[in-house]
C-alpha cells in the first residue's frame, strides 16, 4: 500500500540574518515512520525540527503536514501544533503546576475538552510513563528523567499524530537516559510517527526506520540504520561516525 | 521639654488617620498592580504604538516628581473642568505613579522566565493570550513579589504626600496636632512610629504571601 507522506518538506531554507542554517531541505515522512536525525552540533537539526511546528519561521520553501499547508495563517499554525507534539532537551515543564496540571493544561485550554475526561486520560498517560504516583508533585521535585517522561506525557495528552524530540536525553545524567529511551521505544512500538534528534546512537540504530545525517544545513545522507552506520557513503558521515565513537 | 503624655489623648485620632493612610496605600497599590499589568502587556506587545505608549508612560511617570504629578491632578485638572476630591486625586496620582514602577517590575519578571516556557506552550498549540495568562504571568508574578513589596512600602510612605492636598491621613493629622500643641518632636516621632508599624506589618504580610507561593515551586 502506498501512503501519502504525513510530512513533506520541499526546498526548505532558513536563515538568521546572513547566516543560512537550512540550505534546501527536502524530506518526506510517512505515517508511522521513526526517523533519527544525527549530525554534529550546529548542523541545523534543531532548526529543522522547530520549523515543523513553526517555532521558527522558514525563509523559503514549503512544509505540508497532514495535508495542512504550514503558511503564515495562524489557523494553520495552530492546527499543526495540535497535531505535532514536541519534547525539548530542557523538558520545559511548567514549574508552577503539578505534574497532573502540566499534562492536563493543553487539552483543556486548547481543545476545550471536558476536565474529568482529560484527567482520566492524563492519569493513564502518567501511568504509561511510570509516574502515576507523582501526579500531585511539582516538577522541581522530580529527577531529570522523570521530568522528561512527564514532558512526553504532556505532549501525548494532545493526541498528536507526530512527535518531535530534540535531544531528549542530552540533559540527563547517564543513568537516567534509559528510562526515557524506554518510553520512546514504547511509542515506536505503538506506531507513532517520530522525528528524533539524538546523540544516542543505540536508539538511532535499534529504534528508527530511517536515519538522516545532517551537515552544514543540508541532509548529507539518509538511509536505513544499517546503511548509515555500517555502509556510510560520504566522507563527512564517515568522519562523523569516527568522531562519536 | 518633651512631653509624650500630651500625645496620648490624640492617639485615637492618629489611629483613624492611619486607616486613611492604609486605605490610600492599599488602593493605590491595587491600582498600580492593575495599571502595571496593562502597561507591561502594552510594552511587550508587538503592536508598535502600544509599546511606544508604554515606554512614554514609564519614562514620564518615573522621571518626574510624584508631588508634581499629584499637584497636576489635584490643582491642574480643575482648570480643565475636572474637580476631584483630595482623596481621589491622591489615589489617581499615587496609583498612576505606582503603575509605572509595577510595569517595570513585571517586565523584569517576565524577562526572567526562560524562553523554553513560551516554546513549550506554543508547541502545545496554546495561543498568546492563554500562554500569558496561564504560563508566563503566573510565574512572572512570583518572581516580581519582592519588587512589588518594595514598591508597596515606598508607596505607603509616599502616601504622606497626600497631606499636601489636604487629605486627613496620618501626616496631615500629625501636623495639625503638632502645631496646635507646639509639640513637633512628640507628634512627628509618634507619626514615624505609626508609619514604622504599618511598613513592618506590610512587610510581614508580603513575606507570608511570598512564602505561601514559594511552596509551589
Ligand atoms: N535564534 C538563532 N539566531 C541565530 N542563529 C541561530 C539561532 N538558532 C540557531 N542558530 C544557529 O543555527 C545553526 C544551527 O543550529 P541548530 O539547528 O541548533 O543546530 P543543531 O541542533 O544541529 O546543533 C547554528 O550555527 C546556530 O548557532
Ligand atoms: Mg540542537
Amino acid at each position: 500500500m502506498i501512503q501519502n507522506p504525513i510530512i513533506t518538506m520541499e526546498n526548505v531554507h532558513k536563515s538568521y540574518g546572513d547566516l543560512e542554517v537550512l540550505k534546501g531541505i527536502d524530506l518526506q515522512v510517512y505515517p508511522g515512520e521513526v526517523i533519527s536525525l544525527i549530525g554534529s552540533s550546529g548542523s541545523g537539526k534543531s532548526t529543522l525540527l522547530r520549523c515543523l511546528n513553526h517555532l521558527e519561521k522558514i525563509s523559503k520553501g514549503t512544509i505540508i503536514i497532514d495535508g495542512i499547508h504550514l503558511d503564515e495563517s495562524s489557523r494553520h499554525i495552530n492546527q499543526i501544533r495540535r497535531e505535532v507534539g514536541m519534547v525539548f532537551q530542557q523538558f520545559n515543564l511548567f514549574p508552577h503546576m503539578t505534574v497532573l496540571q502540566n499534562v492536563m493544561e493543553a487539552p483543556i485550554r486548547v481543545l476545550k475538552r471536558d476536565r474529568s475526561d482529560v484527567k482520566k486520560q492524563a492519569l493513564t498517560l502518567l501511568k504509561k510513563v511510570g509516574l502515576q504516583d507523582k501526579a500531585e508533585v511539582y516538577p522541581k521535585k522530580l529527577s531529570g528523567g522523570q521530568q522528561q517522561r512527564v514532558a512526553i506525557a504532556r505532549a501525548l495528552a494532545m493526541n498528536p499524530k507526530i512527535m518531535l524530540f530534540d535531544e531528549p536525553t542530552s540533559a540527563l545524567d547517564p543513568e537516567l537516559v534509559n528510562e526515557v529511551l524506554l518510553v520512546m521505544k514504547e511509542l515506536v512500538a505503538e506506531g507513532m510517527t517520530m522525528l528524533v534528534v539524538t546523540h544516542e546512537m543505540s536508539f538511532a540504530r535499534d529504534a528508527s526506520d530511517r536515519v538522516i545525517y545532517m551537515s552544514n544545513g543540508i541532509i548529507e545522507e539518509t538511509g536505513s540504520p544499517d546503511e548509515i552506520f555500517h555502509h556510510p557513503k560520504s566522507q563527512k558521515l564517515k568522519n562523523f561516525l569516527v568522531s562519536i565513537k | 521639654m518633651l512631653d509624650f503624655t500630651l500625645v496620648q489623648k490624640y492617639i485615637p485620632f492618629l489611629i483613624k488617620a492611619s486607616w486613611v493612610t492604609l486605605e490610600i496605600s492599599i488602593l493605590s497599590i491595587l491600582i498600580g498592580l492593575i495599571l502595571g499589568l496593562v502597561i507591561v502587556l502594552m510594552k511587550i506587545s508587538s503592536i508598535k504604538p502600544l509599546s511606544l505608549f508604554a515606554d512614554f508612560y514609564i519614562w514620564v511617570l518615573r522621571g518626574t516628581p510624584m508631588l508634581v504629578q499629584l499637584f497636576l491632578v489635584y490643582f491642574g485638572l480643575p482648570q480643565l473642568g475636572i474637580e476631584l476630591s483630595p482623596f481621589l486625586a491622591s489615589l489617581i496620582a499615587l496609583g498612576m505613579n505606582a503603575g509605572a514602577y509595577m510595569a517595570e517590575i513585571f517586565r523584569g519578571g517576565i524577562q526572567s522566565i526562560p524562553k523554553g516556557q513560551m516554546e513549550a506552550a506554543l508547541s502545545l498549540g496554546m495561543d498568546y493570550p492563554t500562554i500569558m495568562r496561564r504560563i508566563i504571568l503566573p510565574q512572572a508574578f512570583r518572581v516580581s513579589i519582592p519588587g512589588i513589596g518594595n514598591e508597596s512600602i515606598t508607596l505607603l510612605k509616599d502616601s504622606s504626600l497626600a497631606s499636601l492636598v489636604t487629605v486627613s491621613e496620618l501626616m496631615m493629622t500629625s501636623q495639625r496636632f503638632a502645631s496646635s500643641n507646639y509639640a513637633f518632636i512628640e507628634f512627628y516621632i509618634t507619626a514615624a512610629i505609626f508609619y514604622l508599624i504599618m511598613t513592618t506589618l506590610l512587610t510581614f504580610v508580603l513575606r507570608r504571601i511570598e512564602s505561601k507561593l514559594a511552596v509551589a515551586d
Side-chain angles (χ1 to χ4, degrees):
Chain A
M1 190 182 79
I2 298 171
Q3 283 178 303
N4 291 322
I6 192 164
I7 300 176
T8 303
M9 298 178 89
E10 268 168 21
N11 192 30
V12 168
H13 289 251
K14 170 70 190 173
S15 303
Y16 294 107
D18 288 340
L19 179 68
E20 192 169 41
V21 176
L22 296 181
K23 302 171 180 169
I25 300 289
D26 291 294
L27 174 65
Q28 297 194 320
V29 181
Y30 291 87
E33 241 193 325
V34 176
I35 295 183
S36 291
L37 288 140
I38 61 171
S40 50
S41 165
S43 57
K45 308 181 296 294
S46 297
T47 305
L48 190 156
L49 234 49
R50 293 160 59 83
C51 285
L52 289 175
N53 62 355
H54 205 266
L55 285 184
E56 304 291 348
K57 189 178 148 211
I58 64 176
S59 315
K60 200 171 111 186
T62 312
I63 296 178
I64 298 168
I65 294 179
D66 199 24
I68 308 163
H69 205 108
L70 183 54
D71 46 26
E72 282 309 287
S73 139
S74 57
R75 197 168 59 86
H76 290 170
I77 293 170
N78 283 330
Q79 239 173 319
I80 283 174
R81 282 180 178 159
R82 288 173 197 196
E83 295 193 11
V84 179
M86 187 163 201
V87 173
F88 301 85
Q89 183 175 347
Q90 297 298 339
F91 331 132
N92 297 344
L93 292 179
F94 306 134
H96 59 304
M97 297 180 179
T98 64
V99 163
L100 185 61
Q101 288 167 340
N102 263 276
V103 179
M104 290 174 64
E105 183 67 12
I108 289 176
R109 303 286 157 187
V110 179
L111 305 177
K112 316 281 185 217
R113 283 177 48 198
D114 175 69
R115 180 172 279 275
S116 62
D117 285 352
V118 172
K119 184 168 180 183
K120 232 179 279 166
Q121 186 203 4
L123 289 171
T124 309
L125 283 169
L126 286 175
K127 190 163 176 192
K128 178 188 178 123
V129 300
L131 292 169
Q132 65 272 42
D133 54 326
K134 301 289 185 196
E136 303 301 334
V137 168
Y138 284 90
K140 213 168 93 175
K141 295 268 188 295
L142 301 180
S143 72
Q146 292 173 324
Q147 289 192 47
Q148 195 59 298
R149 286 184 280 149
V150 174
I152 294 173
R154 178 177 69 175
L156 291 176
M158 289 292 287
N159 298 316
K161 293 186 178 167
I162 300 163
M163 285 283 285
L164 310 174
F165 293 83
D166 192 358
E167 300 200 30
T169 59
S170 294
L172 300 178
D173 294 333
E175 72 273 16
L176 301 178
V177 167
N178 249 334
E179 61 190 57
V180 172
L181 291 182
L182 279 175
V183 170
M184 290 169 62
K185 283 178 179 165
E186 212 179 309
L187 286 181
V188 173
E190 288 169 10
M192 176 66 77
T193 308
M194 292 166 56
L195 269 78
V196 184
V197 174
T198 186
H199 293 304
E200 290 297 324
M201 292 307 148
S202 67
F203 180 89
R205 213 175 354 240
D206 306 338
S208 47
D209 301 306
R210 195 145 53 109
V211 180
I212 289 176
Y213 168 64
M214 283 187 72
S215 167
N216 214 354
I218 60 168
I219 293 177
E220 179 76 26
E221 198 164 329
T222 169
S224 68
D226 182 57
E227 287 168 330
I228 293 291
F229 290 110
H230 300 123
H231 309 284
K233 292 200 227 24
S234 72
Q235 193 56 44
K236 277 184 185 164
L237 175 53
K238 285 176 190 162
N239 294 345
F240 174 73
L241 291 172
V242 171
S243 76
I244 58 169
K245 277 268 156 58
Chain B
M1 273 316 289
L2 295 185
D3 179 13
F4 277 93
T5 56
L6 186 70
V7 177
Q8 241 172 27
K9 70 173 185 204
Y10 293 99
I11 294 282
F13 298 102
L14 294 176
I15 289 176
K16 207 168 142 235
S18 299
W19 277 114
V20 178
T21 289
L22 277 179
E23 246 175 279
I24 297 182
S25 307
I26 289 167
L27 288 175
S28 50
I29 289 167
L30 290 178
I31 295 171
L33 285 171
I34 293 165
L35 213 52
L37 185 61
V38 173
I39 299 289
V40 80
L41 288 175
M42 291 168 84
K43 167 118 187 132
I44 63 175
S45 100
S46 52
I47 304 166
K48 201 77 198 166
L50 291 185
S51 75
L52 283 176
F53 174 82
D55 282 338
F56 180 77
Y57 182 93
I58 293 168
W59 177 60
V60 171
L61 277 116
R62 291 206 315 169
T64 56
M66 179 122 74
L67 192 54
V68 175
Q69 297 163 19
L70 176 60
F71 278 12
L72 273 172
V73 173
Y74 183 66
F75 297 114
L77 287 183
Q79 241 179 303
L80 306 176
I82 304 169
E83 299 261 3
L84 296 170
S85 71
F87 185 83
L88 197 55
S90 305
L91 267 194
I92 291 173
L94 283 162
M96 282 183 67
N97 185 273
Y101 286 93
M102 295 292 189
E104 284 294 271
I105 293 165
F106 286 146
R107 188 165 66 104
I110 290 169
Q111 278 173 343
S112 76
I113 308 304
K115 208 164 77 293
Q117 291 290 306
M118 175 62 91
E119 292 182 346
L122 286 173
S123 77
L124 288 164
M126 296 169 80
D127 57 25
Y128 184 81
T130 310
I131 295 173
M132 274 305 174
R133 192 167 53 83
R134 297 284 309 168
I135 309 298
I136 306 295
L137 290 178
Q139 295 184 59
F141 186 72
R142 270 169 217 206
V143 178
S144 304
I145 286 177
I148 293 171
N150 286 337
E151 174 57 17
S152 301
I153 284 164
T154 303
L155 215 55
L156 198 151
K157 292 184 288 179
D158 286 351
S159 71
S160 58
L161 291 173
S163 64
L164 296 167
V165 296
T166 71
V167 177
S168 303
E169 43 66 79
L170 181 56
M171 192 61 203
M172 174 81 185
T173 306
S174 308
Q175 214 168 348
R176 218 174 57 224
F177 297 148
S179 41
S180 63
N181 290 288
Y182 202 76
F184 297 100
I185 294 184
E186 290 88 336
F187 277 99
Y188 289 148
I189 284 186
T190 307
I193 291 169
F194 273 60
Y195 276 113
L196 205 50
I197 292 170
M198 288 189 280
T199 52
T200 307
L201 282 176
L202 188 58
T203 310
F204 181 75
V205 170
L206 288 161
R207 287 255 169 77
R208 286 291 299 268
I209 294 174
E210 197 171 349
S211 65
K212 234 194 196 119
L213 288 175
V215 177
D217 41 49

